[in-house]
Amino acid sequence: MSGKGTSPFSTVHQIGVIVKDMDEAVAFYESLGIGPFESPKGPAPIVDRQVYGKPAPDVKNRISTTQMGAVQLELVQPISGKSVQAEFLEKHGEGVNHLAFLVDDLDREVAKLVEKGFTVISSGRTLGGGAFAYLDTDKIGGIVFELIQQPSRP
């Protein structure tokens, strides 16, 4: 996680890839020896999801993840709603969409980036106290940066 005075971008936690068909994508990556993949059971525990600053309760994405060393590979299949993931798939097709980084204080790190002129394009809180924010860092290089604050552990 980020320390005092350090960049939140010092260590990649996750690579996010947008896919059209989750089952096909998982089978493909597992045929390469990447996996096994795990998917959350039931609906995603996201509350207060925002897309471009507006509530987006209809957004649903199918997620599967696996660890590749210290980096998690996340496959995301847009299912419903106007999400940044569905927008990416429509504009670019399948591919690497985002790099995610862990932070200790999401609000503080987002505030620093907003002060530098970046915009939060999607955000949400998870049951259990986690949170995430996707930023419009794709203007150069085409990759969105996601900041993740993991839930507190008792």
Side-chain angles (χ1 to χ4, degrees):
M1 296 211 227
S2 66
K4 190 172 186 176
T6 63
S7 167
F9 308 118
S10 60
T11 305
V12 173
H13 168 69
Q14 178 188 84
I15 299 169
V17 177
I18 305 299
V19 300
K20 289 187 268 190
D21 182 303
M22 183 63 69
D23 296 328
E24 183 180 294
V26 166
F28 172 75
Y29 285 107
E30 287 182 347
S31 77
L32 295 172
I34 299 170
F37 283 83
E38 295 181 7
S39 298
K41 306 291 182 228
I46 297 174
V47 295
D48 190 30
R49 184 190 295 269
Q50 303 271 317
V51 176
Y52 296 113
K54 297 180 181 167
D58 60 333
V59 168
K60 303 271 186 290
N61 292 316
R62 188 174 171 198
I63 307 288
S64 287
T65 61
T66 192
Q67 281 301 125
M68 297 186 338
V71 177
Q72 181 182 69
L73 177 62
E74 178 185 51
L75 305 178
V76 182
Q77 177 187 344
I79 301 295
S80 66
K82 293 189 178 201
S83 65
V84 295
Q85 294 83 5
E87 181 181 277
F88 179 91
L89 185 60
E90 183 180 303
K91 285 183 179 177
H92 306 286
E94 295 180 300
V96 174
N97 167 253
H98 69 271
L99 298 178
F101 305 87
L102 296 178
V103 296
D104 295 322
D105 184 333
L106 181 72
D107 294 334
R108 179 185 68 218
E109 298 300 340
V110 166
K112 288 180 193 175
L113 291 166
V114 166
E115 193 173 287
K116 292 180 181 190
F118 293 96
T119 302
V120 174
I121 57 175
S122 182
S123 64
R125 306 243 172 231
T126 60
L127 295 177
F132 63 90
Y134 290 84
L135 295 134
D136 66 342
T137 55
D138 60 333
K139 308 261 184 295
I140 295 178
I143 298 176
V144 169
F145 286 177
E146 177 188 15
L147 300 181
I148 300 171
Q149 180 178 317
Q150 293 185 317
S152 303
R153 300 196 188 224

